[in-house]
Amino acid sequence: MEKSAQAPSFNYEHSREELRRMQIEFPQRDREFRPLMGCVAAMQPRNLVEVGTREGGSLFMLSRVLPPGATIISVDLPGAAWGRSDSGTKKRQVADRLRRDGFVVHLVERDSARPETAAEVKRLLEGDLIEALFLDGNHSFDGVLADFQNYRPLMKPDAPLIFHDIVHSPNTPHVEVHYLWRVIKALAPHIEFIENAKADSGIGLATNTGLLQGYDIRQQLASQPGPA
């Protein structure tokens, strides 16, 4: 992805305060998310697809570094296993705010793992490719792998592919994103934002290059510990 000559400035604390005033949950570590926003700001993607939105905290924060009029697509199913049953109202509140800011916003409330959901995202892109993809939905290995396989083929070459919760923590054994991230970062240029390697969370950003469609992730993991 081409970078802008000069990344736009953004006021992280001001944006966080706006979320607090709206009473929107933001389940991210500031020391990880702030540098992520800096990277996205430098890339200036004209659209963003987020899988796993909950109340819309990270969606709002990332919107602060997108160019005016950008398209934002949220794929999120309130009440699903990794979501929140009461998140729909807050998410729609954030979407309304973003529309007032001039963004084109689509809320896709479907199971992200289903191929027809990816087909709907493709339709909403109206011929464009995804320029920034944030996967923060189903954190099981099968779930995040399905999201990766569904939406990565819709991405623009060299676009940022972002994963949340890449750190392996014994405190959250049900979070298995790290298995997939281990393979992804061996295939593509990447950067990690990790506040504490001994805790959970962590954000990984990989460039969509070398991530060949049809690459057998499970075969790659077969000789390694994990859910292959």
Side-chain angles (χ1 to χ4, degrees):
M1 166 176 277
E2 294 181 359
K3 298 183 179 181
S4 59
Q6 183 175 0
S9 61
F10 61 94
N11 189 320
Y12 186 87
E13 292 303 330
H14 177 74
S15 299
R16 289 285 281 113
E17 183 55 35
E18 286 192 77
L19 279 183
R20 295 185 188 99
R21 288 198 299 268
M22 290 190 289
Q23 297 183 317
I24 300 297
E25 175 191 40
F26 183 62
Q28 303 281 350
R29 296 179 184 269
D30 290 324
R31 292 183 180 179
E32 296 173 350
F33 211 81
R34 187 197 302 263
L36 170 66
M37 286 177 64
C39 283
V40 175
M43 296 173 178
Q44 285 290 275
R46 294 171 298 175
N47 64 54
L48 164 71
V49 174
E50 180 185 65
V51 177
T53 296
R54 285 199 176 184
E55 295 185 1
S58 57
L59 197 71
F60 175 80
M61 292 295 285
L62 287 173
S63 76
R64 302 301 89 183
V65 297
L66 298 182
T71 296
I72 298 173
I73 301 176
S74 158
V75 181
D76 180 82
L77 186 60
W82 293 85
R84 291 262 298 274
S85 60
D86 59 347
S87 63
T89 300
K90 293 290 186 71
K91 179 179 61 178
R92 286 187 284 274
Q93 176 187 345
V94 170
D96 288 343
R97 164 61 192 279
L98 297 183
R99 291 185 183 112
R100 291 195 299 272
D101 288 342
F103 295 106
V104 177
V105 183
H106 302 285
L107 301 181
V108 180
E109 294 194 330
R110 298 183 183 181
D111 182 351
S112 63
R114 299 183 69 86
E116 55 265 34
T117 305
E120 174 65 6
V121 170
K122 183 177 181 179
R123 184 188 71 81
L124 292 171
L125 288 167
E126 299 182 337
D128 291 332
L129 295 173
I130 298 173
E131 297 199 6
L133 176 63
F134 185 24
L135 298 183
D136 193 18
N138 191 321
H139 282 45
S140 70
F141 177 75
D142 288 335
V144 70
L145 178 60
D147 288 339
F148 170 76
Q149 292 176 329
N150 273 344
Y151 302 99
R152 193 222 59 81
L154 304 179
M155 293 181 68
K156 183 178 180 179
D158 297 328
L161 169 58
I162 306 160
F163 294 85
H164 186 224
D165 290 318
I166 61 170
V167 174
H168 180 204
S169 171
N171 298 324
T172 53
H174 58 296
V175 174
E176 299 177 328
V177 179
H178 60 95
Y179 291 118
L180 178 58
W181 177 246
R182 187 172 66 203
V183 176
I184 297 299
K185 70 179 186 178
L187 294 172
H190 66 279
I191 184 171
E192 297 179 334
F193 309 102
I194 299 175
E195 180 179 5
N196 185 348
K198 296 182 179 180
D200 55 9
S201 196
I203 296 173
L205 184 155
T207 302
N208 182 35
T209 180
L211 304 178
L212 302 178
Q213 188 170 359
Y215 183 85
D216 194 334
I217 297 288
R218 291 188 182 279
Q219 183 178 6
Q220 178 70 12
L221 286 171
S223 61
Q224 307 175 35

